[in-house]
Amino acid sequence: MKIIVTGGAGFVGSALVRYLINETHHQVVVIDKLTYASNLESLRDVSDNERFSFIRSDICNRSAMEDIFENYQPDRVIHLAAESHVDRSISGPEDFIKNNIIGTYVLLEVSNLFWSSLPENKKNNFKLLHVSTDEVYGDLGENSQNLTSENSAYAPSSPYAASKASSDHLVWAWWRTYGLPVVITHCSNNFGPYQYPEKLIPLVILNAISGKNIPIYGNGEQVRDWLHVDDHIRAIYSILEKGKIGDSYNISSNNEVKNIDLVTTICSILDDIFPESKNKPHNNLIEFVEDRLGHDFRYALDTKKLNKEIGWKSEVGFEDRLKETVLWYVRNFKWLETIQKY
Ligand SMILES: NC(=O)c1ccc[n+]([C@@H]2O[C@H](COP(=O)([O-])OP(=O)(O)OC[C@H]3O[C@@H](n4cnc5c(N)ncnc54)[C@H](O)[C@@H]3O)[C@@H](O)[C@H]2O)c1
């Protein structure tokens, strides 16, 4: 199959592209406009593969997108291109409105035009998978026993979450109105290698190694549901093949962790890796800072549907994955030199 991956030079997208090239026989076309959050080095391992193509383009550019669809004739589209950092959406929401909402609208229009023109057999085979977030459901109460399911109401808090919720609504509208075959996935917080170091886990690792303060919002009691990026992309791939058209699936490995516990665990992993470090114990670097505006307290996803219908479950335990991730950043300082500075 030919698979278009938008946002394939970002953190999750590049993991997905490495997986598709290394573990499947599909052809992959990455469309990415290369914002600060992207890094072509993350695709270096697959860039020479003859099944891999890269196109630098903005998904908001309709005529460029029409040409790409016409030239590549995709069987699948996996849509990840987005502005993804909540703090940036609070200080400057405009890019989120443009890339996440208008960008998704253009992608839907172009996909629909392309799909409508296909012969019946190809039409029945086409699918667009939209990668969304647990943040569209908003804050889950601290003591809520009911985890967030696919039927929970949308209640986004940040401009980022609202832009993703808007893009979800557009995707549903194109399914309900035009019949465009779509599936939506909602995943929890990802971690793993090649993540831009403004996100919590790489930020903590890099600040701790360099002896800089480790900022934690508020009292650090907020709970996030951590998912390794490799687990995430395996789930996306399974849903792409087995997911029901017009349906949505939550993806998480049910690892609810308080921010403060996550950070102290990373610090103690670093204490073990660098027993002679002058920054040891690294948790002395923790600094509680003013809470994020509109900060959601807890996200936690119900994944029964994913487990039952798709037969997916996480393969590796959280602690092992976290250690592996810390080691990756320690060993890959070179990759960090290649990121675009913010
Ligand atoms: N990382 C997470 O924890 C997480 C959690 C839930 C959902 N998601 C969703 O997964 C997707 C990928 O997230 P990520 O963490 O890899 O993000 P990222 O910021 O690392 O990568 C996003 C990529 O999209 C590209 N991009 C942005 N706007 C574009 C445009 N207009 N045209 C073309 N390319 C564009 C960027 O250049 C970048 O390469 C996003 O849609 C995000 O909302 C991520």
Side-chain angles (χ1 to χ4, degrees):
M1 289 194 301
K2 280 191 194 149
I3 304 180
I4 283 183
V5 178
T6 73
F11 164 53
V12 181
S14 65
L16 177 67
V17 173
R18 292 191 301 273
Y19 174 83
L20 290 172
I21 294 294
N22 292 329
E23 308 291 332
T24 77
H25 297 291
H26 304 308
Q27 292 183 46
V28 178
V29 181
V30 169
I31 304 174
D32 199 298
K33 81 168 180 182
L34 300 183
T35 69
Y36 77 95
S38 65
N39 191 341
L40 285 176
E41 278 299 306
S42 309
L43 293 169
R44 182 194 271 272
D45 290 352
V46 295
S47 58
D48 289 339
N49 193 294
E50 59 188 14
R51 288 182 288 112
F52 171 83
S53 315
F54 177 80
I55 300 163
R56 182 173 194 175
S57 182
D58 188 332
I59 56 164
C60 298
N61 181 339
R62 182 170 177 148
S63 65
M65 293 295 287
E66 283 178 359
D67 288 349
I68 295 168
F69 273 65
E70 184 55 35
N71 289 339
Y72 286 93
Q73 301 280 314
D75 303 287
R76 301 275 185 277
V77 177
I78 309 179
H79 177 36
L80 298 108
E83 285 293 330
S84 66
H85 191 46
V86 175
D87 288 339
R88 284 178 188 258
S89 83
I90 294 169
S91 57
E94 192 173 337
D95 279 350
F96 290 73
I97 307 304
K98 280 189 191 146
N99 294 299
N100 301 3
I101 306 178
I102 308 290
T104 301
Y105 156 70
V106 172
L107 182 71
L108 288 167
E109 277 287 83
V110 171
S111 299
N112 196 32
L113 193 73
F114 170 76
W115 173 72
S116 313
S117 71
L118 289 173
E120 213 54 31
N121 60 335
K122 287 230 157 212
K123 214 171 167 182
N124 292 336
N125 182 41
F126 183 87
K127 266 183 217 172
L128 183 150
L129 186 146
H130 172 63
V131 176
S132 188
T133 166
D134 56 0
E135 298 194 29
V136 299
Y137 301 117
D139 202 355
L140 182 69
E142 183 174 2
N143 301 314
S144 173
Q145 298 298 313
N146 297 325
L147 302 186
T148 304
S149 84
E150 288 82 355
N151 297 325
S152 298
Y154 276 52
S157 302
S158 68
Y160 162 70
S163 71
K164 292 297 289 187
S166 308
S167 66
D168 287 9
H169 291 312
L170 292 174
V171 172
W172 290 137
W174 261 248
W175 151 245
R176 288 278 301 196
T177 309
Y178 308 107
L180 182 70
V182 300
V183 181
I184 295 187
T185 57
H186 293 114
C187 67
S188 57
N189 279 43
N190 282 223
F191 70 103
Y194 300 101
Q195 188 170 29
Y196 194 81
E198 63 189 348
K199 303 281 167 54
L200 184 61
I201 291 183
L203 181 84
V204 171
I205 300 169
L206 300 177
N207 280 20
I209 294 174
S210 336
K212 291 188 192 150
N213 281 356
I214 301 169
I216 297 191
Y217 283 130
N219 58 9
E221 292 291 308
Q222 299 88 353
V223 174
R224 296 294 181 264
D225 180 356
W226 290 97
L227 170 70
H228 192 274
V229 68
D230 289 346
D231 278 342
H232 182 199
I233 50 114
R234 278 192 313 104
I236 288 179
Y237 187 65
S238 301
I239 294 167
L240 187 69
E241 292 319 301
K242 299 183 200 162
K244 223 170 99 202
I245 298 291
D247 221 338
S248 71
Y249 296 85
N250 286 346
I251 308 175
S252 109
S253 40
N254 309 115
N255 279 311
E256 282 190 64
V257 187
K258 286 183 183 174
N259 286 349
I260 184 66
D261 295 340
L262 175 74
V263 173
T264 49
T265 307
I266 294 172
C267 288
S268 69
I269 295 172
L270 286 170
D271 290 346
D272 292 342
I273 298 175
F274 297 110
E276 307 299 329
S277 169
K278 65 177 187 323
N279 301 318
K280 198 179 155 197
H282 291 87
N283 61 10
N284 281 350
L285 296 167
I286 290 173
E287 179 192 24
F288 292 96
V289 298
E290 196 177 329
D291 208 353
R292 174 189 272 166
L293 295 175
H295 204 177
D296 286 339
F297 185 78
R298 178 180 171 218
Y299 303 128
L301 289 175
D302 178 335
T303 55
K304 283 201 267 312
K305 189 169 170 184
L306 175 71
N307 307 139
K308 255 187 168 173
E309 285 186 24
I310 309 292
W312 181 91
K313 62 177 171 31
S314 173
E315 277 175 2
V316 183
F318 175 66
E319 298 263 322
D320 289 340
R321 285 298 209 188
L322 190 60
K323 274 188 201 148
E324 201 183 282
T325 301
V326 175
L327 272 173
W328 188 88
Y329 285 96
V330 168
R331 290 175 181 154
N332 286 275
F333 253 80
K334 269 215 154 109
W335 176 81
L336 287 163
E337 285 163 12
T338 64
I339 60 168
Q340 300 170 51
K341 299 288 174 227
Y342 45 105

